[in-house]
Amino acid sequence: MNPILSVKNIQKSFDGTGVLKGVSLDIHEGEVVVVIGPSGCGKSTLLRCINGLERIDGGEIWLRDQRISDQEKNMHLVRQKIGMVFQSYDLFPHMKVMDNLLLGPTKALKRPADEAKAEAMEMLKRVGLAEKADALPRTLSGGQKQRVALVRAMLMHPELLLLDEITAALDPEMVSEVLNVVIDLAEQGMTMAIVTHEMRFAEAVADRVLFMEQGVIVEEGAPAEFFREPRTERARQFLQSFTYASTRKNAR
Amino acid sequence: MDWSFVSAHVSDFIGGAWVTLRFGLYGVLCSLVLGLLCCLARYFRVPVLKSIAHGYIELARNTPLLVQLFFLYAGLPRVGIRLSAEACAVIGLTFLGGAYMAEGFRSGLESVDKSQREAGECLGLTRWQNIRYVLLPQALATAAPALFANVIFLIKETSMFSVLAMMDLMNVADTLRTSGGRTIEVLFMLVVAYLALLLPVSLIATFTERRLRYAGFGNQRSV
């Protein structure tokens, strides 16, 4: 079966510094790919290149049978099929939650407002925020904002959802309420590319894990194997940095 | 103070105030449109247009309105372009005001976090939809004080219209003063007339800015 997304040998540099040095990646329908790696390895840039927030310097990106890496004029049509959620939520502060949700479906997709509203309400209910429909974003907690942002992206019925460190700005106790929504989406068959620092979440949600370093994919594999027994030394070191090897010797 | 002189000439000042207000508002409205277009050309880095906008803004902001009006009224006829005084007034004020409004809009747009623009793009909005629904409402909340200051500034600048022989407040006052010699009375009426026009604008500005602040958006970054 043909992949939904096909990234072919893309390159990207900022001010002469290579950030992506030939990255290739296929994502198939219903697949959840998690990208991990040290900060600055290019994983966020990879996601931003996929939906054209950054222009690539070389290579190609295909969404099904359409080459999207050279779309200039019609990029907004491509983006209607690729949802993205960021670390900083980026809800529109001047709009109520419901208006945030309806903007894309009614303006970009030109769907009838009442139909879109019914669906939005349904999805708000599913993430436990039905009573917040008329609230302004600033009255929500970080976890609530991020759940609204996820619903906002999903209401566009994207073929692919990109999640860029969506729990990085959250207080620890709010992380799971957001990640549970993502796991729920994965169960429903949503195709996703996820950048995260939450290793246990990565293990739980991924069909495939990519480990990136210095602009290239160093290792790729099923989560069970990758997290138990990474093949490369660099991945092993990276995973070890999430555990504390030493304990205090003279603790009282 | 000769109050009988004052009351005898109130209607002259009302006529002048009407000219000042009408042409001031035409200029303000055209300035807002021109300023927004220039600002957007620069914000979205539209090739060629952004350079034209930039050049125009510097030219308009760094030359006096008086010189701009002379150019339109006395200069252009030399090359065969003859405009009425009213047209010169509106074009001149728009030329000046467009540059100031562009800078006002720019301060607002630049205060909106770049991630807001990206969030709108990620929803598949067109550039224009993104401006209209996402960026501009937030930018206006921040830019409102600067834009209102420009409105007041531009209405005051209409006092230059007297060089076009238009009977605005300034010209009415000048004519009365030189013909009757009642300088104190005339200047008193002139000040009162300008205050009567501009104080309401100031009040509207204050009220609007407070509403926008209480609405709770504008200065928040990550939401």
Side-chain angles (χ1 to χ4, degrees), chain A residues 48 90-91 94 107 156, chain B residues 115-116 118 123 129 133:
Chain A
R48 292 171 60 82
D90 297 306
L91 299 182
H94 56 299
K107 303 301 176 195
M156 297 294 290
Chain B
S115 63
Q116 285 285 310
E118 291 182 347
L123 281 179
Q129 287 172 332
Y133 299 112

Side-chain angles (χ1 to χ4, degrees), chain A residues 8-199:
Chain A
K8 295 175 181 172
N9 191 31
I10 63 168
Q11 286 119 43
K12 172 74 189 172
S13 54
F14 292 111
D15 302 323
T17 311
V19 179
L20 297 177
K21 303 167 187 167
V23 173
S24 297
L25 161 71
D26 281 352
I27 302 181
H28 292 270
E29 187 157 357
E31 196 180 20
V32 178
V33 174
V34 172
V35 186
I36 62 174
S39 58
C41 71
K43 52 195 192 308
S44 286
T45 306
L46 173 62
L47 293 194
R48 292 171 60 82
C49 284
I50 289 174
N51 76 347
L53 289 179
E54 307 287 351
R55 288 188 64 175
I56 56 175
D57 301 326
E60 291 178 359
I61 301 172
W62 291 72
L63 186 69
R64 293 195 193 274
D65 50 4
Q66 185 189 13
R67 188 163 74 184
I68 60 174
S69 45
D70 57 359
Q71 298 281 328
E72 272 285 289
K73 278 250 153 61
N74 295 320
M75 203 56 211
H76 67 282
L77 296 177
V78 173
R79 292 204 185 98
Q80 291 172 7
K81 299 179 202 162
I82 303 178
M84 184 158 183
V85 180
F86 304 89
Q87 172 181 336
S88 49
Y89 333 118
D90 297 306
L91 299 182
F92 306 129
H94 56 299
M95 295 181 189
K96 291 172 179 174
V97 165
M98 183 53 81
D99 296 326
N100 263 276
L101 299 180
L102 292 182
L103 188 64
T106 58
K107 303 301 176 195
L109 299 179
K110 311 249 184 267
R111 289 178 56 194
D114 47 350
E115 175 198 313
K117 192 167 181 180
E119 191 192 354
M121 208 59 213
E122 192 55 43
M123 292 186 72
L124 270 186
K125 249 180 230 155
R126 209 181 306 160
V127 300
L129 293 173
E131 78 283 7
K132 297 291 186 187
D134 290 322
L136 277 171
R138 71 189 150 100
T139 65
L140 305 183
S141 72
Q144 291 171 331
K145 284 179 200 170
Q146 200 58 297
R147 279 182 280 161
V148 172
L150 279 166
V151 170
R152 186 173 70 176
M154 286 305 296
L155 278 167
M156 297 294 290
H157 302 295
E159 297 189 34
L160 171 69
L161 188 59
L162 310 171
L163 306 181
D164 188 8
E165 299 195 31
I166 59 167
T167 58
L170 295 179
D171 291 335
E173 72 268 23
M174 293 174 181
V175 169
S176 68
E177 71 185 46
V178 171
L179 295 185
N180 283 332
V181 173
V182 178
I183 288 177
D184 199 36
L185 292 176
E187 300 268 68
Q188 292 164 37
M190 188 65 219
T191 313
M192 290 187 274
I194 302 174
V195 166
T196 184
H197 285 295
E198 301 283 335
M199 292 304 137

Side-chain angles (χ1 to χ4, degrees), chain B residues 37-207:
Chain B
L37 292 177
C38 287
C39 166
L40 291 177
R42 295 185 77 189
Y43 184 74
F44 286 103
R45 290 175 217 219
V46 183
V48 186
L49 284 183
K50 67 161 192 227
S51 310
I52 294 175
H54 190 192
Y56 151 66
I57 288 168
E58 293 306 329
L59 176 67
R61 286 204 310 166
N62 294 304
T63 49
L65 178 62
L66 193 57
V67 173
Q68 295 165 6
L69 290 177
F70 272 140
F71 179 84
L72 290 168
Y73 198 56
L76 285 185
R78 296 298 172 99
V79 293
I81 302 171
R82 224 166 270 282
L83 298 169
S84 68
E86 287 77 10
C88 286
V90 175
I91 293 172
L93 201 59
T94 301
F95 185 81
L96 179 75
Y100 280 87
M101 292 299 185
E103 292 297 280
F105 282 119
R106 187 168 70 110
S107 69
L109 269 183
E110 279 178 358
S111 77
V112 181
D113 209 77
K114 186 168 147 256
S115 63
Q116 285 285 310
R117 177 174 158 189
E118 291 182 347
E121 288 174 353
C122 284
L123 281 179
L125 299 178
T126 62
R127 186 179 273 190
W128 177 243
Q129 287 172 332
N130 208 0
I131 292 168
R132 174 156 168 222
Y133 299 112
V134 177
L135 301 176
L136 208 50
Q138 299 183 63
L140 284 179
T142 312
L147 297 179
F148 275 115
N150 288 346
V151 170
I152 292 171
F153 162 72
L154 288 176
I155 293 178
K156 285 192 293 186
E157 284 292 290
T158 57
S159 58
M160 299 288 173
F161 289 173
S162 51
V163 303
L164 304 174
M166 282 174 67
M167 288 309 276
D168 74 315
L169 274 178
M170 193 67 201
N171 206 357
V172 166
D174 247 9
T175 311
L176 276 179
R177 190 174 57 82
T178 45
S179 65
R182 307 280 186 117
T183 305
I184 296 294
E185 285 79 2
V186 168
L187 290 181
F188 168 77
M189 293 179 81
L190 186 60
V191 168
V192 170
Y194 272 117
L195 281 177
L197 284 185
L198 291 173
L199 273 180
V201 181
S202 281
L203 288 175
I204 292 170
T206 310
F207 177 75

